[in-house]
Amino acid sequence: MTSERFDPSSADPRWQAAWDERQTFRADDASPRPRSYVLEMFPYPSGRIHIGHVRNYTMGDVLARYKRMKGFEVLHPMGWDAFGMPAENAAMEKGVHPGGWTRDNIANMKAQLKRLGFALDWSRELATCEPEYYGHEQALFLAMYEAGLVYRKESAVNWDPVDMTVLANEQVIDGRGWRSGALVEKRKLSQWFLKITHFAEDLLGGLGELKNWPDKVKLMQENWIGKSQGLQIRFWSADRSTEVEVFTTRPDTIFGASFVAIAADHPIAQRLAAGDPAVAAFIEECRKGGTTAAEIETQEKLGHDTGIRLKHPFDDGIALPLYIANFVLMDYGTGAVFGCPAHDQRDLDFARKYALPVTRVVADGETSAPVFEGDEAYTGPGALVNSRFLDGMDVEAAKAEVIARAEQGQWGRGTTVWRLRDWGVSRQRYWGTPIPFIHCDSCGVVPVPRDQLPVVLPEDVDFKTPGNPLLRHPTWKHVVCPSCGKPAERETDTLDTFADSSWYFLRFASQPADRPFDPEVIARWLPVEQYIGGIEHAILHLLYARFWTRALNHIGLIDVKEPFASLFTQGMVTHETYSRIDPVNGAPVYFGPAEIEKRGDGAVLISDGNPVEVGRVIKMSKSKKNVVDPDDIIAQYGADAVRWFMLSDSPPERDLPWSEAGIEGCARFVQRLWRLFGQYDPAASGEDKALDRKRDQAVAAVAEDIEGLGFNKAVARIYELASAVEKAAPSASRSAAIRALLLLVAPMMPHLAEEAWSGLGDGLISDAAWPSVDPALLVEDEVTIAIQVLGKVRDTITVPKGQTQEANLAIAMASSKVTLHVGNVEPQRIIYVPDRLLNIIPGRVMKPS
RNA sequence: GCGGACGUGGCGGAAUGGUAGACGCCGGGGACUUAAAAUCCCCUGAGCUUUGCUCGUGUGGGUUCGAGUCCCACCGUCCGCACCA
């Protein structure tokens, strides 16, 4: 080793080229080795990778490289979630073609990822916007259609009349289109749906088996699926002219019912509105209610008495008023509820406002009086009261009893209601997977025959005129019906891009040209052993991917049901903000890290030397200017320092605050290791037992930390070993420790490791094996024992491991620090934790002072 | 409102109920140097009457020989959901 300093600008590209040339990280489908599929969520090709990608992919990379060293055949692929609106927006704003824009971005980002030295199998790279990918997606969509998992129905969309386009909810701001500013209309369109609800029970139940998923994510999915069991029950008016179907999860409280309420959109409310202007006015009022979180929270419960009276199912003598109420949702359950105010907060608020009776039917342990006092509903457990044949039963038994009687009387049935809706996948957009169907006046909706796939997006489109280019393309949509041969039209909707990301992990594992994947190869790689990505995908992406996997399993295309055995959600990269308040409009003006200089506690703007406010550490965002560009920092510090920073300090699931000082520390450590590796001397002799022990302990601990994704802990262990090696005198042990240290950092700092390895090892370190450990060395032969008196540490002693309690006590009692506190009293009790701690409890004899 | 996570030095954070603060950053002191950078060494939770003692893991209680860790109550921060019957 000749050079004094490690030079990333020359070493990084050299080793990246070497890995490329040798195809070091190419995964072999036929390998006899045990397999490991490590996957990070693939990026949207926005044009630049951001620091969050760097953190995400560095974690996956360390795991992938480590697994390789442990002898696994590792599949670690990368690709592009390449369809979506930003490409269309760019087309409209800059006049570029979405495809060209996307492919340029991919080229840029791929180069950026290469500069980080990730151990990726680029031979499996895919982009969802290419027919080689989405054509197979069309085939899978048709397979689902044949299996009855795809259907069409009318559904409302946000329609922007100026841009002539459908808007996603987040593109509607205060009721207006985000781009045009036009008032958004609700339009009913016939749209495609995937029957995710068919798997609701299974998707929910499957969560229980996902042992290596964060509880938080499982809980979010559980709430999203939203299973509730209860009773669907019919109420009639005395003359049977009105029938209301109600869903409740509390059938036990039926005798506490004091009203029935329906949603403003309920058919009965609509019918009444036609003949009653007061009802119509009230419904209009409900519609006006805000939709933001704050508005809903503060919204008052409003109701309109229809005048209709419904009979209580167990007592014709009880008449319940039928209200239209603003807090009842049409799209959940049946759009109608019965109100039991004593045991439901919303119902209680409503009942107090309209002076309806409030009857207690569940005793709260203090009282069972029929008249319910106060403004807080009781929702806890208890015995039923004031409920005739239910009296004395607990809540669960009463529920079952009411359901049984309802089913017997044929006016209700036990039922399960889900929050989960079927997945509307139609997007009235150009830049997405064309939905492979043809509309024929004679034959209806006809699937495109398999031999005509892929349905390829036309490239000759422009975005100068508003609306979906597929609709106005001169030739694309005109086809002949595959069934009758008459002129027909293509479906012009494209698939939600979540569909693209719902099976990409399968295509990575196996990508034959003539079909989506080879099930036999899928079976070898799947499930993904470790999936890593952002928490923002906790619900939609992960639920849709679980659904597609199940759907394909259901059809018989694959054996696997759960795609991701382990899931890890990493934290964000954050940074301080620097700002000043604009004296004119009072709004903060932000400055980037490059524009300021840190001085002591504060910071000043370089251009004028005056202080700026150092704000909270928050997620990096362009608007706050607290961003760092991966290319800049790689150029400045080298890929290994950047990677090391991504792994250091913060636990990977928590946010990582970026700091200049931190990355500089990492860059210094890279050089420190370089100098240390330069001291490797294969000819050195002599044994250093203590260093051997530290080495193997570090190897074992780092392995354990990496396997548990505790990268910050692994980093700390490596620092410790490096310090110990630096302090040690030359010996064969020291050389062995340097060699081991090099292997330990190889997954984290691969360029430095290759460069150093080329001076002392054979071949590439990327192909080297993880160092083995001597189990005997992991065990200490000396231990330091804490000596406590009454639970307080007074001294420590270092003794041979496994020494008896008596021997240790004798040594402890020889210490003046101990005897001072024990005094002249016989120990009343000794607590001994072998090799760790000795706690002396003195007798209760009071010492003369 | 409901649900969840978190709270430890100046900062990021370690810590199977058993020596709190590993490791890193910042800061201080020193060595080397004409000088600087780089590098190396030492110190670095607070307080005190400093051979040592006391306090200290958001607050207040509890269990225990012993609590950052377990239990109860509260405070704060962040995240998710949102009138889901």
Side-chain angles (χ1 to χ4, degrees):
Chain A
M1 254 159 255
T2 50
S3 74
E4 295 252 321
R5 289 182 65 78
F6 173 68
D7 177 18
S9 67
S10 101
D12 290 4
R14 194 149 28 83
W15 292 111
Q16 287 155 16
W19 298 325
D20 269 353
E21 270 162 36
R22 303 186 197 197
Q23 305 206 25
T24 304
F25 305 113
R26 189 161 187 159
D28 179 5
D29 288 342
S31 170
R33 300 201 284 178
R35 285 150 202 284
S36 177
Y37 186 176
V38 177
L39 183 68
E40 300 98 56
M41 292 179 185
F42 69 163
Y44 178 79
S46 59
R48 311 282 301 161
I49 62 167
H50 57 74
I51 197 79
H53 292 127
V54 178
R55 191 179 190 202
N56 187 177
Y57 301 152
T58 301
M59 290 178 189
D61 200 55
V62 171
L63 187 66
R65 285 174 175 273
Y66 166 79
K67 282 277 179 182
R68 265 180 63 82
M69 294 177 80
K70 290 289 268 187
F72 287 82
E73 186 68 27
V74 173
L75 174 56
H76 187 218
M78 182 55 70
W80 311 96
D81 189 11
F83 272 137
M85 285 197 309
E88 292 193 21
N89 295 338
M92 281 181 262
E93 281 158 18
K94 299 172 194 154
V96 293
H97 189 275
W101 182 84
T102 302
R103 290 173 192 119
D104 286 350
N105 287 347
I106 288 174
N108 284 335
M109 290 174 73
K110 185 174 176 182
Q112 287 188 295
L113 292 181
K114 290 231 170 191
R115 284 197 277 282
L116 283 154
F118 293 136
L120 293 163
D121 180 355
W122 285 106
S123 74
R124 295 173 190 246
E125 178 184 7
L126 57 82
T128 58
C129 66
E130 305 299 346
E132 294 75 35
Y133 182 83
Y134 69 69
H136 298 300
E137 186 167 310
Q138 291 167 338
L140 294 176
F141 190 77
L142 290 176
M144 290 196 208
Y145 174 77
E146 284 154 16
L149 296 173
V150 175
Y151 65 96
R152 270 160 68 84
K153 81 170 181 195
E154 287 259 304
S155 178
V157 295
N158 303 307
W159 178 257
D160 184 321
V162 171
D163 278 354
M164 308 221 314
T165 186
V166 173
L167 300 178
N169 283 334
E170 59 270 21
Q171 293 175 317
V172 181
I173 298 153
D174 293 332
R176 291 174 180 276
W178 67 316
R179 186 187 300 279
S180 69
L183 274 175
V184 169
E185 301 165 7
K186 285 279 177 195
R187 268 205 188 180
K188 286 257 183 183
L189 295 179
S190 193
Q191 305 198 66
W192 294 94
F193 284 82
L194 283 177
K195 235 185 230 175
I196 190 171
T197 55
H198 179 77
F199 297 93
E201 189 78 65
D202 196 35
L203 286 165
L204 182 66
L207 292 173
E209 289 144 45
L210 295 173
K211 302 287 180 227
N212 292 316
W213 277 44
D215 290 340
K216 178 192 174 81
V217 173
K218 286 190 277 189
L219 189 69
M220 282 163 77
Q221 293 213 350
E222 190 182 318
N223 292 338
W224 189 261
I225 295 167
K227 180 181 187 176
S228 18
Q229 282 170 306
L231 172 68
Q232 203 156 308
I233 155 180
R234 283 187 300 278
F235 286 83
W236 287 277
S237 56
D239 60 3
R240 292 234 156 197
S241 66
T242 304
E243 177 187 322
V244 182
E245 182 113 41
V246 159
F247 174 73
T248 180
T249 55
R250 293 296 302 272
D252 55 303
T253 63
I254 187 76
F255 289 103
S258 59
F259 64 92
V260 173
I262 55 175
D265 303 329
H266 195 280
I268 293 174
Q270 297 293 310
R271 197 185 73 216
L272 294 171
D276 184 346
V279 171
F282 179 76
I283 290 173
E284 194 49 41
E285 169 131 16
C286 289
R287 291 240 171 88
K288 272 193 295 192
T291 49
T292 68
E295 282 171 322
I296 288 170
E297 195 173 331
T298 53
Q299 209 164 66
E300 197 181 0
K301 305 253 177 307
L302 294 175
H304 178 89
D305 188 350
T306 61
I308 296 169
R309 294 295 174 265
L310 303 171
K311 291 191 301 181
H312 190 284
F314 287 111
D315 186 343
D316 288 357
I318 303 174
L320 302 172
L322 177 67
Y323 279 80
I324 302 166
N326 66 345
F327 68 92
V328 180
L329 305 175
M330 189 58 219
D331 58 3
Y332 183 80
T334 59
V337 301
F338 80 71
C340 176
H343 307 291
D344 182 286
Q345 193 58 49
R346 288 159 309 180
D347 296 346
L348 183 60
D349 294 344
F350 190 81
R352 290 297 187 225
K353 184 172 165 83
Y354 293 100
L356 296 163
V358 183
T359 307
R360 178 193 320 276
V361 290
V362 180
D364 63 9
E366 283 178 18
T367 174
S368 54
V371 178
F372 191 90
E373 310 276 353
D375 288 317
E376 262 184 56
Y378 177 73
T379 55
L384 271 286
V385 293
N386 312 313
S387 296
R388 307 190 190 182
F389 54 85
L390 299 174
D391 282 355
M393 290 185 191
D394 65 21
V395 167
E396 289 312 311
K399 281 180 183 173
E401 178 65 24
V402 172
I403 290 171
R405 292 197 185 215
E407 286 179 347
Q408 207 174 15
Q410 303 213 329
W411 46 263
R413 60 189 166 83
T415 184
T416 301
V417 162
W418 304 84
R419 208 193 84 110
L420 184 70
R421 291 290 120 82
D422 275 339
W423 176 13
V425 290
S426 282
R427 296 292 180 271
Q428 292 69 36
R429 306 213 161 261
Y430 165 72
W431 195 232
T433 300
I435 295 177
F437 280 88
I438 290 165
H439 299 275
C440 171
D441 285 341
S442 316
C443 311
V445 180
V446 184
V448 173
R450 296 297 176 93
D451 58 11
Q452 290 175 28
L453 294 183
V455 177
V456 179
L457 279 177
E459 291 276 326
D460 53 333
V461 291
D462 75 75
F463 289 84
K464 293 189 186 91
T465 30
N468 183 350
L470 292 180
L471 267 172
R472 54 169 196 272
H473 190 279
T475 57
W476 185 77
K477 71 174 177 181
H478 301 293
V479 288
V480 294
C481 172
S483 169
C484 68
K486 286 190 226 158
E489 289 194 355
R490 284 196 190 286
E491 170 67 60
T492 57
D493 283 357
T494 52
L495 282 175
D496 182 359
T497 58
F498 274 118
D500 309 334
S501 53
S502 290
W503 72 284
Y504 77 108
F505 44 89
L506 300 174
R507 183 75 186 165
F508 272 146
S510 164
Q511 34 193 262
D514 59 341
R515 52 203 165 129
F517 40 73
D518 177 341
E520 203 272 318
V521 178
I522 294 292
R524 283 185 234 166
W525 289 112
L526 271 283
V528 172
E529 184 180 8
Q530 182 66 61
Y531 194 35
I532 307 177
I535 185 74
E536 67 272 21
H537 294 113
I539 298 175
L540 294 182
H541 161 58
L542 289 167
L543 193 63
Y544 291 151
R546 294 180 65 221
F547 157 62
W548 270 62
T549 310
R550 275 174 168 69
L552 300 179
N553 172 280
H554 174 79
I555 297 167
L557 293 179
I558 51 176
D559 282 335
V560 65
K561 246 171 95 176
E562 283 290 351
F564 313 120
S566 296
L567 172 72
F568 187 82
T569 55
Q570 98 273 6
M572 297 179 299
V573 181
T574 58
H575 196 294
E576 292 179 325
T577 53
Y578 311 103
S579 64
R580 280 182 190 159
I581 300 299
D582 186 315
V584 180
N585 60 15
V589 181
Y590 290 95
F591 303 101
E595 298 175 85
I596 65 101
E597 191 180 299
K598 301 214 71 177
R599 294 229 182 117
D601 295 343
V604 297
L605 190 64
I606 292 167
S607 59
D608 64 12
N610 292 321
V612 293
E613 171 139 3
V614 178
R616 282 199 325 155
V617 175
I618 55 171
K619 179 182 183 174
M620 287 192 184
S621 77
K622 278 179 190 153
S623 65
K624 302 286 192 297
K625 284 200 180 178
N626 61 337
V627 288
V628 292
D629 183 74
D631 273 356
D632 294 347
I633 56 178
I634 294 166
Q636 201 174 346
Y637 302 103
D640 290 338
V642 173
R643 292 169 60 112
W644 187 250
F645 185 93
M646 292 294 115
L647 303 166
S648 303
D649 292 357
S650 289
E653 69 279 10
R654 283 206 226 163
D655 290 350
L656 171 68
W658 176 267
S659 77
E660 290 295 310
I663 183 68
E664 277 167 18
C666 292
R668 274 200 301 273
F669 185 61
V670 170
Q671 298 300 338
R672 201 176 133 199
L673 283 177
W674 178 248
R675 287 191 297 275
L676 190 57
F677 295 148
Q679 294 167 16
Y680 178 75
D681 175 8
S685 62
E687 198 187 36
D688 181 341
K689 200 74 181 166
L691 189 61
D692 290 347
R693 174 165 280 132
K694 278 184 183 145
R695 179 197 68 213
D696 276 13
Q697 285 174 341
V699 170
V702 170
E704 196 182 314
D705 289 336
I706 291 177
E707 282 175 28
L709 307 182
F711 302 111
N712 57 321
K713 290 189 269 181
V715 161
R717 309 268 191 198
I718 288 170
Y719 275 116
E720 270 175 300
L721 181 61
S723 297
V725 174
E726 279 170 340
K727 290 189 176 75
S731 67
S733 293
R734 186 169 192 265
S735 292
I738 290 175
R739 194 186 168 90
L741 185 61
L742 187 43
L743 290 162
L744 293 195
V745 299
M748 304 181 180
M749 304 188 194
H751 310 89
L752 171 75
E754 291 288 8
E755 189 83 357
W757 189 255
S758 65
L760 61 91
D762 295 324
L764 294 179
I765 199 168
S766 297
D767 291 324
W770 189 255
S772 56
V773 298
D774 176 0
L777 280 179
L778 298 183
V779 187
E780 294 282 1
D781 52 9
E782 269 195 337
V783 289
T784 301
I785 296 180
I787 307 301
Q788 297 184 338
V789 179
L790 255 175
K792 280 186 196 286
V793 179
R794 298 301 177 182
D795 202 359
T796 57
I797 59 172
T798 301
V799 297
K801 186 180 166 70
Q803 182 158 282
T804 62
Q805 175 179 335
E806 289 70 29
N808 288 331
L809 180 61
I811 296 167
M813 292 307 284
S815 160
S816 59
K817 292 177 188 170
V818 175
T819 49
L820 181 71
H821 291 95
V822 176
N824 297 320
V825 199
E826 278 298 301
Q828 175 193 313
R829 191 178 161 195
I830 306 288
I831 289 123
Y832 182 61
V833 182
D835 296 330
R836 296 222 58 165
L837 171 139
L838 183 73
N839 187 7
I840 301 162
I841 314 299
R844 289 182 194 281
V845 181
M846 299 298 284
K847 269 197 305 182
S849 50

